[in-house]
Amino acid sequence: MHSIIRTKKHKSIAGLKFREKHTYRINPTPNADPAKQQKNKLVFGQENYSAVADNFLQNYEAAGNKIRKDAVLAIEYLLTASPEFFDAGSKNERDARLKNWCEAQIEFVKKEHGEKNILCMYLHLDEKTPHIEAYVVPIDAKGKLNCKSFLGGQAKLRDLQTRYATHNKNFGLQRGLKGSRATHQQVQKFYEQIKQPTKVNNENLQKAVKLEAPALKNILNPDVYLKEQEAKIYAKVARLFASTVYENKIIQQAKKILREWKRAEADAEKLKYKLESEKEALQEKLNSQAKAIQNLQQLQLDNKDLQRQLSNAISETNALKEKFSPNKLKT
């Protein structure tokens, strides 16, 4: 069973508001069971985490800190484990394990980011595998908004996976790998092969070099008998050590699979961050355009109001001119 942690960067409050709709199932979630939605619950922090983040960052700027336009304002963590971890045992055992696991995840996020920087940790029980969504403001040890100090580069991401697995080792969970170019069949075949016991051992070697009992004809012609036995022994030993060479090839194949796995993991992370950044940039642009359209509509309304006022003023002016014209006064 494996511990599983995933990360996502948020560069706008609008993006966090969008995630809130997912967290609280305001937007449809196809893989969630509506009948179990009431089981979801806040385990730490505030529910309205987008507003909390907005207020947090306003205070951060008010204290004289600058926020870059492309800064990561919040990190989202997905914390979970292999499905069988949550499924094993009786209901009481599952409930107790889930409670202890949740407490451990809260302690992990506190240790990583500090309690005051946690926005929200929300447990979802309406999907196939229980998991926690955690949102934090990435404030570093110097008190600066600095996501790179937590997720900057593949080395930090690998270290995060290792720290998370170590933190959860008491639950019997191990660090996992993801994103392999190797097919499932390749990996399965490899595991089947390495589970086979090695063929080169003392017992098999003794069997290979053991002489066959000589027949009467062999006793009468011992030179031929010994030569035949020598050839058979060579053949048996060669077969044994050929299997060892084959096993060495399997090890090399395994190393290649793991290298490809790690490369695929790195490529997948890069692509994910790129797509998420593009998505958030488009969302910000859309929000900006929507605001501009709203302002334009308001200006149009204000313009119409000014036109009405101007028209009324012109009418009143004309009426006054007519009333006080010289011709009117003479009469």
Side-chain angles (χ1 to χ4, degrees):
M1 296 182 294
H2 296 110
S3 60
I4 299 169
I5 182 169
R6 300 286 182 266
T7 63
K8 184 177 181 181
K9 301 173 183 177
H10 293 285
K11 295 185 176 182
S12 69
I13 297 300
L16 284 177
K17 288 181 179 178
F18 182 81
R19 287 302 295 168
E20 274 186 355
K21 292 180 180 179
H22 167 79
T23 301
Y24 305 120
R25 305 312 194 214
I26 297 170
N27 286 340
T29 306
N31 54 335
D33 183 355
K36 297 180 180 178
Q37 185 174 331
Q38 73 278 4
K39 295 182 178 181
N40 300 339
K41 62 179 180 179
L42 180 74
V43 293
F44 191 83
Q46 305 294 321
E47 289 192 345
N48 56 334
Y49 53 84
S50 64
V52 174
D54 193 17
N55 184 64
F56 186 105
L57 295 167
Q58 285 181 24
N59 292 335
Y60 178 80
E61 285 188 300
N65 300 297
K66 292 184 178 180
I67 299 177
R68 298 192 322 271
K69 289 184 179 180
D70 64 341
V72 175
L73 306 181
I75 297 173
E76 174 185 348
Y77 290 103
L78 173 70
L79 310 173
T80 186
S82 301
E84 56 268 27
F85 169 73
F86 299 101
D87 294 339
S90 65
K91 183 179 184 305
N92 288 339
E93 289 172 334
R94 293 195 304 270
D95 290 346
R97 188 186 308 117
L98 178 63
K99 179 178 180 295
N100 292 335
W101 179 82
C102 286
E103 291 173 353
Q105 308 322 294
I106 294 169
E107 289 306 310
F108 175 78
V109 179
K110 284 182 179 179
K111 189 162 56 176
E112 288 288 303
H113 290 279
E115 184 173 339
K116 65 179 181 179
N117 298 320
I118 301 174
L119 300 171
C120 172
M121 295 184 69
Y122 201 83
L123 173 66
H124 281 141
L125 297 174
D126 59 349
E127 297 182 50
K128 183 177 180 181
T129 304
H131 59 272
I132 291 175
E133 287 180 7
Y135 296 86
V136 302
V137 180
I139 301 295
D140 65 15
K142 297 180 180 179
K144 299 298 181 182
L145 188 66
N146 182 10
C147 180
K148 286 185 179 179
S149 67
F150 301 99
L151 305 181
Q154 292 303 311
K156 288 187 180 296
L157 290 171
R158 286 194 295 270
D159 289 344
L160 170 66
Q161 296 281 348
T162 301
R163 288 196 306 276
Y164 185 65
T166 301
H167 183 81
N168 287 289
K169 68 179 181 180
N170 291 337
F171 293 106
L173 298 172
Q174 300 176 352
R175 189 189 192 284
L177 291 173
K178 65 170 185 174
S180 174
R181 283 195 185 104
T183 64
H184 173 73
Q185 288 79 7
Q186 284 177 307
V187 176
Q188 188 65 30
K189 181 180 179 181
F190 166 69
Y191 280 122
E192 288 173 359
Q193 289 169 335
I194 64 173
K195 281 190 290 187
Q196 299 297 325
T198 178
K199 295 179 181 178
V200 181
N201 53 44
N202 287 335
E203 183 181 354
N204 288 340
L205 195 56
Q206 287 175 7
K207 287 180 180 178
V209 298
K210 185 177 181 181
L211 294 174
E212 296 175 355
L216 179 60
K217 64 177 182 177
N218 300 134
I219 296 173
L220 295 175
N221 197 348
D223 291 338
V224 173
Y225 165 73
L226 291 173
K227 195 170 183 179
E228 289 176 350
Q229 289 299 302
E230 183 181 16
K232 288 182 179 181
I233 288 171
Y234 280 149
K236 290 177 183 177
V237 171
R239 280 197 298 271
L240 279 177
F241 282 93
S243 67
T244 302
V245 172
Y246 177 65
E247 287 166 2
N248 287 335
K249 289 181 179 178
I250 293 174
I251 292 171
Q252 295 304 316
Q253 178 189 3
K255 290 180 179 178
K256 182 180 178 182
I257 289 172
L258 292 175
R259 284 196 301 270
E260 291 179 348
W261 209 331
K262 290 178 180 178
R263 281 198 298 268
E265 181 181 14
D267 292 344
E269 288 290 342
K270 289 178 182 177
L271 180 59
K272 184 183 78 170
Y273 293 146
K274 180 182 177 184
L275 292 176
E276 287 173 353
S277 297
E278 290 175 353
K279 174 186 170 184
E280 290 180 357
L282 288 172
Q283 183 65 49
E284 288 179 3
K285 188 174 180 180
L286 180 62
N287 293 340
S288 177
Q289 289 176 343
K291 189 173 181 179
I293 291 171
Q294 187 178 12
N295 291 338
L296 179 60
Q297 291 173 340
Q298 185 61 46
L299 286 172
Q300 288 174 338
L301 291 174
D302 292 344
N303 187 42
K304 288 180 180 179
D305 188 49
L306 287 172
Q307 287 177 348
R308 282 195 297 270
Q309 293 180 25
L310 179 60
S311 178
N312 291 337
I314 291 171
S315 297
E316 291 175 2
T317 301
N318 290 336
L320 288 171
K321 285 181 180 179
E322 180 68 23
K323 182 176 180 180
F324 296 103
S325 66
N327 294 331
K328 291 280 186 180
L329 291 174
K330 286 181 182 180
T331 58

